[in-house]
Amino acid sequence: MGSVGEHGEEGRQRSYWRWSKQDFLPEESFQSWDNYLHALSQTRFRFKDRLISRSDDANEIDVLRKQSENDMKRCLTWWDLTWFGFGAVIGAGIFVLTGQEAHKDAGPAIILSYVASGVSAMLSVFCYTEFAIEIPVAGDFAAFITAGNILLESIVGSAAVARSWTSYFTTLLNRKTNSLRIHTNLTDGYNLLDPIAVVVLAVAATIAMISARKTSQLNWIASAVNTIVILFVIIAGFAHSDTSNMTPFLPFGAAGVFRAAAIVYFAYGGFDNIATMAEETKNPSRDIPIGLLGSMSIITVIYCLMALSLTMMQKYTEIDPDAAYPIAFQSVGMKWAKYLVALGALKGMTTVLLVGALGQARYTTHIARAHMIPPWFALVHPKTGTPINATLLIAIASAVLAFFSSLDILSSLLSLVIFLLIIIASSMGISAYWGLKPDGWVGYVITLPLWFLATLAIQLFLPQQRTPKVWGVPLVPWLPSLSIATNIFLMGSLGQDAFIRFGICTLVMLVYYFLFGLHATYDMAQEQKKAEPLKNIKDENTMERAGP
């Protein structure tokens, strides 16, 4: 759909709904085949340039935000963000993965798995909070790899929750498992097509596109209902508890606890969505730390209590891995409770999808502003104040994945992606030694001091390149280093298939980067360098006119 602005007239706002090549590939490298071939011939030089390049605060705040053409509306407070934290995190994970991992890997010690994952997630929260409030400074290639993995996490996470939504909706209707999915002859794990998941994702995306404020209000209501159900599960579970169900406490040993921890980390996924809402928060430096740290602390306690109530109510060997809580209540004579649990789970997963659609689109907008993906996805609608194009990108990609892929495949891949976002080589020795010799100790005598000395060396010999102006991670570099170590340790407990899938996804990202993303960001950086002298001249003229 065209507009006057698109034909070059000044002073008229361009239509939001536009689809020209210039909106997707406006950079010089893509204006002709000759330009593109020339850009490809310079790939090595451009990669070296972008590998060591760094953005600055002024560029992030002034230049890149203009790529969206319209501003997002500042309408959120710490109260909204706290409830967004509940809505984003408490969903399919606690209701689905608790029973699955207690039955298969951890037994009653699943509570320790949630503690380990909670500590790891909390350490990551500190880092995400600074990223939200302060402007991160990073090399272009590193930024692209990080951005690509976060996008992958967003898409896979939304797809997994949407698949779980269908499962619990089936329970609510008292129908057989997978009876609402379409059975096909495709490869196992991809043979149950899920059209309901696609519809749920479409509805959540539509609400998120209308208004951030209205999404927040709907999230309050749904989260309040979910909180009531959670309190019921905890109280009723303890009321029907049997302490004999807690023995043996570690049936699969410590290795089982950490295998489960690597999977149930998925239950904490979503907190990063809150960190993307800084532009719509009235007072980011105060509201985001309160919203993130407050909600995550309470959620960790809730998860541990829910896991404990389940394993005390039913023996881990008898827990149904597909519908743990409904079947557990049925086993103690509360058959009706499974419908309440299913309703609460549906409410929880609905808010996860709502907040996810909101936060993931904001992150996609930031990536598109830097031209890592086409800048068309950075556009903010002038009336709604929301990034509709970015929302559609995540929703459509998630819907395609949810339509084909099963929950176990999605949850394993998602957990791996989350951990690899903050991976470094200094923690690999600990994880490898645990996998090879779980009962050994000699390796830790080497790896743990190495981790300590490497972190100490960073503190003593590498000056901090940038001091946060408003809020920063405390105890740098110790907390970030500990966060990295715990995440990669949990990652080492994941299966081979998750690594293979992740490798394929990473390969696709790298192909896109070297064919498109690298050249787009390089061209944009060159344009900004050319514009800088003109900006300085304009500033000097303004000062001269102002006079003494």
Side-chain angles (χ1 to χ4, degrees):
M1 191 179 295
S3 72
V4 176
E6 287 179 80
H7 297 289
E9 292 190 15
E10 301 290 337
R12 297 289 298 275
Q13 186 175 20
R14 301 177 68 192
S15 169
Y16 185 84
W17 305 108
R18 53 186 194 260
W19 322 94
S20 69
K21 174 179 172 290
Q22 286 297 107
D23 294 309
F24 288 89
L25 296 171
E27 299 83 14
E28 183 65 25
S29 294
F30 307 110
Q31 296 309 301
S32 68
W33 277 108
D34 288 339
N35 287 11
Y36 183 56
L37 293 174
H38 175 70
L40 290 179
S41 69
Q42 291 189 315
T43 296
R44 184 176 179 181
F45 167 76
R46 293 185 173 196
F47 176 67
K48 183 179 179 181
D49 176 83
R50 302 314 298 156
L51 185 64
I52 60 176
S53 67
R54 305 179 75 85
S55 62
D56 54 56
D57 292 10
N59 181 58
E60 294 279 354
I61 295 173
D62 298 329
V63 179
L64 293 186
R65 284 191 182 181
K66 292 179 181 178
Q67 298 290 315
S68 293
E69 298 184 2
N70 301 287
D71 293 330
M72 298 184 193
K73 298 176 181 178
R74 289 192 178 274
C75 57
L76 303 177
T77 65
W78 67 267
W79 177 258
D80 297 292
L81 297 180
T82 300
W83 281 104
F84 270 142
F86 278 96
V89 176
I90 300 179
I94 186 62
F95 288 106
V96 176
L97 297 178
T98 304
Q100 172 186 307
E101 292 307 308
H103 179 80
K104 185 176 69 173
D105 286 322
I110 186 67
I111 184 174
L112 298 182
S113 301
Y114 273 110
V115 171
S117 294
V119 169
S120 181
M122 189 62 68
L123 290 169
S124 299
V125 164
F126 278 102
C127 300
Y128 272 104
T129 302
E130 179 173 337
F131 290 159
I133 298 168
E134 301 286 341
I135 303 299
V137 182
D140 180 78
F141 179 69
F144 177 83
I145 294 300
T146 303
N149 280 298
I150 290 177
L151 279 182
L152 179 60
E153 173 200 342
S154 301
I155 293 169
V156 173
S158 295
V161 174
R163 295 279 301 197
S164 295
W165 201 100
T166 302
S167 297
Y168 268 83
F169 185 59
T170 304
T171 301
L172 192 63
L173 297 179
N174 202 26
R175 295 173 63 101
K176 293 182 179 180
T177 304
N178 296 322
S179 62
L180 297 180
R181 296 190 174 107
I182 301 172
H183 296 253
T184 69
N185 294 322
L186 295 175
T187 304
D188 190 31
Y190 304 92
N191 59 338
L192 295 172
L193 308 185
D194 198 335
I196 294 178
V198 175
V199 173
V200 172
L201 285 165
V203 172
T206 301
I207 295 172
M209 287 187 287
I210 294 173
S211 167
R213 186 62 185 169
K214 290 180 180 177
T215 303
S216 176
Q217 292 170 347
L218 185 58
N219 177 66
W220 292 352
I221 299 170
S223 294
V225 173
N226 196 30
T227 301
I228 294 172
V229 173
I230 288 172
L231 290 175
F232 165 79
V233 169
I234 294 172
I235 295 171
F238 284 129
H240 293 83
S241 64
D242 183 350
T243 54
S244 65
N245 290 332
M246 298 296 290
T247 55
F249 185 69
L250 286 165
F252 303 99
V257 171
F258 287 108
R259 279 198 304 270
I263 298 298
V264 300
Y265 191 99
F266 167 70
Y268 290 97
F271 64 83
D272 49 324
N273 287 317
I274 313 306
T276 66
M277 300 180 188
E279 278 187 55
E280 293 162 286
T281 303
K282 293 180 179 179
N283 187 352
S285 62
R286 181 198 66 181
D287 296 342
I288 290 181
I290 293 175
L292 264 174
L293 298 175
S295 59
M296 283 299 292
S297 300
I298 299 171
I299 287 168
T300 301
V301 174
I302 289 174
Y303 278 3
C304 291
L305 290 174
M306 288 189 69
L308 183 60
S309 69
L310 176 64
T311 52
M312 290 184 72
M313 186 166 43
Q314 191 173 33
K315 192 78 172 178
Y316 76 93
T317 54
E318 300 171 2
I319 291 176
D320 188 320
D322 296 317
Y325 288 95
I327 301 302
F329 279 115
Q330 184 174 326
S331 70
V332 295
M334 298 177 66
K335 186 176 181 180
W336 56 270
K338 74 175 185 178
Y339 299 109
L340 182 61
V341 172
L343 178 62
L346 283 178
K347 289 286 186 180
M349 287 180 272
T350 301
T351 59
V352 168
L353 292 174
L354 277 175
V355 181
L358 203 68
Q360 293 155 11
R362 273 67 185 165
Y363 194 82
T364 304
T365 301
H366 299 328
I367 296 170
R369 285 172 176 171
H371 288 221
M372 292 183 187
I373 60 176
W376 184 78
F377 294 108
L379 298 177
V380 173
H381 196 279
K383 291 184 178 179
T384 64
T386 59
I388 293 179
N389 296 342
T391 307
L392 288 173
L393 173 66
I394 298 296
I396 293 172
S398 299
V400 171
L401 201 56
F403 189 62
F404 291 101
S405 303
S406 64
L407 180 62
D408 58 341
I409 290 175
L410 294 171
S411 59
S412 294
L413 179 57
L414 179 64
S415 294
L416 179 60
V417 170
I418 295 173
F419 300 142
L420 284 181
L421 289 176
I422 49 178
I423 184 175
I424 62 169
S426 62
S427 299
M428 288 183 177
I430 301 172
S431 180
Y433 192 75
W434 170 264
L436 294 173
K437 293 186 177 181
D439 299 323
W441 58 271
V442 177
Y444 302 126
V445 174
I446 300 172
T447 55
L448 289 175
L450 281 176
W451 172 85
F452 177 83
L453 291 173
T455 307
L456 181 64
I458 292 174
Q459 183 177 25
L460 295 178
F461 302 115
L462 296 178
Q464 192 167 336
Q465 295 295 312
R466 183 175 180 279
T467 302
K469 298 179 178 63
V470 183
W471 194 93
V473 178
L475 300 176
V476 173
W478 296 100
L479 273 184
S481 182
L482 184 59
S483 174
I484 291 166
T486 55
N487 276 277
I488 195 171
F489 182 80
L490 294 178
M491 185 190 72
S493 301
L494 292 170
Q496 178 183 357
D497 290 345
F499 283 91
I500 293 173
R501 296 183 193 109
F502 177 79
I504 294 172
C505 293
T506 301
L507 180 62
V508 172
M509 291 179 202
L510 290 175
V511 170
Y512 170 84
Y513 178 74
F514 284 108
L515 292 181
F516 296 99
L518 169 63
H519 308 294
T521 56
Y522 178 84
D523 286 349
M524 186 178 183
Q526 297 308 306
E527 289 180 11
Q528 291 171 2
K529 288 179 181 179
K530 293 176 183 178
E532 189 63 29
L534 297 177
K535 182 179 181 298
N536 292 337
I537 294 173
K538 183 178 179 180
D539 291 342
E540 290 174 2
N541 292 337
T542 302
M543 292 177 65
E544 288 176 0
R545 285 196 298 269

